[in-house]
Amino acid sequence: MSEPTISRDPRHWMRPGTLQLAALPQLSLYIHLPWCLKKCPYCDFNSHEWSATAAPGEDMPEARYLDALRADLEASLPLVWGRPVHSVFIGGGTPSLFSPEAIDRLLADVRARLPLEADAEITLEANPGTFEKDRFRAFRQAGVTRLSIGVQSFDDAQLKALGRVHNGAQARAALEEAAQVFDTFNLDLMYALPGQTLAQCEADLRTALSFAPPHLSVYHLTLEPNTYFAKFPPRLPSDDEAYEMLDRITAITGESGLQRYEVSAYARPGHACRHNLNYWRFGDYLGIGAGAHGKLSFAHRIARPVRVREPRLYMERALAGDAVASMDEVPRAQLPFEFMLNALRLREGFALADFMASTGLPLSSIDTALREAEAKGLIERDARQVRPTERGFDFLSDLQSLFLPG
């Protein structure tokens, strides 16, 4: 039996094993649209400049890519048959490069093949550099319920340093339109930018808050391997300066009514990102599209499928029914760490019962690590719940590493 056949065959994944999952977790769908106008120097996502790979005058292959996504989804259905879908996230790349008509067709294809919950959250990532008047309204009419807008900064000099294709004025216009069209949206901001001062960071944050975003994601700029910034690193604020910025961000967002519910996320009541919460609660997600990753649970094992990464090869392989590059079983010993990588990002932490339900493991598998984390002041716990302390939030990587297999 070939590897692609094993990957698609639910009988292979349903065979007896050592894990005992009493019920399957919530299921989400992630759809990757890989193209962007320009590759940002800090970006390590599977994104590709269309102009850098296309022949002169060649249009982005919207229809062919949608055909590939549909074929990929159809080939994956036996692995998730009958499971309701809680949320859909269309990420990239820059998904807002796709036309509203393409997004409408994509969501119609999804609804025809998967049982979406009646109130399923459907998020589209958008870049202010692709914003046009009424474009967001057309995305809403196509079925998108939430935008995630990659502003990163309102400072034109910082945006240029980050390689963004938009300026501060375009960011403001996009946010004004989003606030008019969508009941909820997310504003993405970055801090500890090249040469950024505390005052500049605060100015960016106060500008962001002036749009009364229901949700704010604030990310520390890091130099990821295999990026332009990794090869040619800019001068960044020191760790102490970055911590000071984060303290100000948390204080000011709290004053504005946004609560920090996750390490990098702040929201008003009722506006937390349901799709991301499913990740952090170790839920399942089917990932389709070039390079998309997934997590799928079965009665006795958990699998991590990965799609072919290069967009043209992905389209070719998906249309032939073979888009999966690999689908590996998560080793039993690795599951506590994988769970904690997600759950400990949440302010609320996790219920001990949820750990057992979503990993199929007994509490004895994490008892030693929990004791050590508590002794170091990184968590607090009672008979039902485990929560990271303020210190645990500040030293999250140290806390998570306690759960690595010995």
Side-chain angles (χ1 to χ4, degrees), residues 5-79:
T5 305
I6 289 175
S7 297
R8 299 293 194 185
D9 188 348
R11 293 171 298 179
H12 173 81
W13 299 102
M14 287 298 295
R15 70 193 193 282
T18 59
L19 299 184
Q20 300 296 329
L21 274 67
L24 301 182
Q26 280 188 323
L27 177 67
S28 293
L29 174 66
Y30 175 77
I31 304 171
H32 193 74
L33 306 185
W35 291 291
C36 55
L37 290 174
K38 181 183 177 185
K39 181 81 170 178
C40 296
Y42 58 84
C43 177
D44 69 338
F45 296 149
N46 185 34
S47 58
H48 303 260
E49 285 185 32
W50 173 247
S51 60
T53 58
E58 184 182 4
D59 291 333
M60 196 169 62
E62 272 191 354
R64 180 173 169 80
Y65 195 78
L66 293 178
D67 290 344
L69 288 172
R70 182 171 58 197
D72 188 2
L73 179 58
E74 287 180 345
S76 302
L77 290 179
L79 297 173

Side-chain angles (χ1 to χ4, degrees), residues 113-402:
R113 288 159 183 82
L114 287 173
L116 263 62
E117 293 179 359
D119 64 343
E121 176 189 83
I122 301 176
T123 304
L124 176 80
E125 285 186 336
N127 186 325
T130 62
F131 169 72
E132 302 166 359
K133 186 68 175 171
D134 294 330
R135 191 175 182 86
F136 288 176
R137 195 172 303 277
F139 286 137
R140 176 71 186 263
Q141 291 169 349
V144 174
T145 66
R146 181 185 185 110
L147 284 186
S148 184
I149 305 172
V151 170
Q152 317 312 0
S153 177
F154 294 92
D155 183 298
D156 286 348
Q158 288 290 358
L159 289 167
K160 185 175 181 181
L162 290 173
R164 303 296 288 173
V165 298
H166 68 273
N167 58 32
Q170 288 172 310
R172 291 176 176 86
L175 290 167
E176 287 171 358
E177 184 79 359
Q180 290 179 20
V181 174
F182 286 88
D183 298 326
T184 191
F185 65 92
N186 176 54
L187 193 165
D188 264 5
L189 208 60
M190 298 179 81
Y191 73 99
L193 305 179
Q196 189 179 44
T197 65
L198 179 62
Q200 289 173 327
C201 174
E202 184 170 330
D204 255 353
L205 180 62
R206 291 197 183 279
T207 301
L209 293 174
S210 71
F211 292 94
H215 189 286
L216 177 69
S217 297
V218 187
Y219 300 107
H220 186 301
L221 175 63
T222 54
L223 305 185
E224 301 292 348
N226 304 314
T227 63
Y228 181 87
F229 272 0
K231 297 174 187 173
F232 305 99
R235 186 181 68 81
L236 300 179
S238 68
D239 288 346
D240 286 345
E241 290 171 316
Y243 275 124
E244 193 175 2
M245 290 179 187
L246 181 57
D247 285 344
R248 288 299 292 146
I249 289 166
T250 302
I252 294 170
T253 50
E255 293 166 5
S256 74
L258 290 165
Q259 296 303 311
R260 188 185 186 191
Y261 73 99
E262 187 267 345
V263 164
S264 302
Y266 306 76
R268 302 189 191 282
H271 291 278
C273 179
R274 289 162 54 193
H275 185 87
N276 285 347
L277 277 173
N278 194 43
Y279 290 153
W280 298 323
R281 291 171 176 162
F282 211 51
D284 277 2
Y285 53 101
L286 173 64
I288 62 172
H293 291 234
K295 170 189 171 274
L296 296 176
S297 298
F298 303 91
H300 304 292
R301 54 189 36 82
I302 296 172
R304 292 271 189 199
V306 180
R307 265 50 183 179
V308 173
R309 184 176 175 87
E310 199 282 317
R312 292 181 191 273
L313 181 59
Y314 166 78
M315 288 187 283
E316 178 184 317
R317 291 271 298 268
L319 290 167
D322 184 23
V324 177
S326 65
M327 187 165 174
D328 298 324
E329 183 175 338
V330 181
R332 180 186 174 98
Q334 188 74 17
L335 278 170
F337 178 64
E338 292 220 5
F339 180 89
M340 298 302 171
L341 269 180
N342 294 281
L344 290 173
R345 293 179 62 93
L346 289 172
R347 172 70 73 187
E348 68 183 25
F350 64 93
L352 292 168
D354 290 341
F355 171 80
M356 292 187 289
S358 59
T359 65
L361 297 175
L363 291 180
S364 59
S365 64
I366 56 172
D367 186 60
T368 299
L370 287 177
R371 289 177 188 273
E372 186 176 353
E374 191 172 26
K376 291 181 175 181
L378 299 174
I379 62 166
E380 55 187 17
R381 58 174 173 158
D382 54 33
R384 292 200 275 280
Q385 193 83 7
V386 176
R387 300 175 189 83
T389 60
E390 289 295 332
R391 178 177 172 80
F393 250 25
D394 287 343
F395 297 95
L396 184 59
S397 294
D398 293 342
L399 170 56
Q400 292 163 330
S401 68
L402 296 177

